[in-house]
Amino acid sequence: MRCTHWRRVPLDLAREARERSDDTCIDRAVQCQLSAHDDGRHSGLLTDAGAYGTALWLHWHGTDDAQLVLLSDCPVAAPVSDGEGCCLFANHAEQHTWEDAPEEIPCAN
Ligand SMILES: [Zn+2]
Ligand SMILES: [Zn+2]
């Protein structure tokens, strides 16, 4: 299940994202792309229109100021033939976007 947190994109970061990516339509708000999580560190995709294999992300933690970060795409695709790629960034927390997890995640304790 996807995280339901949204964050309004600060105007200065939206402008910076446009300048860095040449993408003229940066959304005014982004939804966290991670699977549902409890740690309060959210990541929303601003644009992947920049350099190949990278994307600009908005990171925020609770109500703290959001940060603009340039990250490489997650290289992990689903382990099946024609497996779909992951829509997140390299070394992200939580699950890959192609991981549908109907069963409970095992407890780490
Ligand atoms: Zn989140
Ligand atoms: Zn991934």
Side-chain angles (χ1 to χ4, degrees), residues 22-35:
D22 289 332
D23 187 345
T24 52
C25 48
I26 302 295
D27 289 337
R28 286 160 180 246
V30 289
Q31 183 182 358
C32 179
Q33 299 277 333
L34 300 177
S35 305

Side-chain angles (χ1 to χ4, degrees), residues 73-77 85-99:
D73 294 342
C74 176
V76 184
C86 175
C87 309
L88 294 171
F89 47 89
N91 303 317
H92 59 82
E94 309 306 325
Q95 298 171 305
H96 300 295
T97 49
W98 42 262
E99 279 181 293

